[in-house]
Amino acid sequence: ERSDVKRYIEKIFKTYREKSKEIDEIIKTRAIGWDIDRLFKIDKDILRIAIIELVYIKDAPVKVVIDEALELAKKYSTDDSPSFINGILAKVVEAYV
């Protein structure tokens, strides 16, 4: 099981390395009124991971990906972050899933 987790993390990392510009563009075009460079780093990273899982990997159910992203935001970011992340991911799901 540990090697499965490691492989999954490596897949996320490799996808981000190869598609970082596309992934950040997905965030930019959906974060209306927000400058991506001014978003909290943790929020950007949570969004990046969730977008990779939703758009490129597609192994996990949509609800699970979004729930995990929101839990990370609740635990590690601001009080406003979960609703912001949820809104962006809802638009991503609408466009790509």
Side-chain angles (χ1 to χ4, degrees):
E1 177 178 304
R2 184 168 207 137
S3 62
D4 289 346
V5 172
K6 186 173 186 238
R7 271 196 300 275
Y8 194 73
I9 292 167
E10 287 169 348
K11 194 188 291 190
I12 289 171
F13 179 74
K14 182 174 182 264
T15 304
Y16 182 71
R17 209 175 46 218
E18 293 170 359
K19 308 271 188 195
S20 62
K21 285 185 176 61
E22 287 175 39
I23 293 162
D24 284 356
E25 194 58 35
I26 289 171
I27 296 169
K28 274 183 202 166
T29 58
R30 283 156 186 84
I32 312 286
W34 290 85
D35 177 355
I36 190 169
D37 297 323
R38 298 192 63 193
L39 293 179
F40 291 112
K41 180 167 179 8
I42 188 71
D43 291 354
K44 274 192 285 197
D45 291 341
I46 291 168
L47 283 167
R48 287 169 174 155
I49 292 167
I51 288 167
I52 289 166
E53 290 183 294
L54 292 168
V55 177
Y56 299 98
I57 296 176
K58 300 181 179 188
D59 280 352
V62 170
K63 184 176 179 357
V64 171
V65 172
I66 292 173
D67 286 350
E68 287 178 357
L70 297 180
E71 285 305 311
L72 288 170
K74 285 176 192 167
K75 187 169 183 175
Y76 297 109
S77 198
T78 68
D79 290 343
D80 296 330
S81 293
S83 59
F84 172 74
I85 288 171
N86 191 45
I88 300 292
L89 293 180
K91 293 175 187 176
V92 170
V93 167
E94 202 174 278
Y96 291 93
V97 179

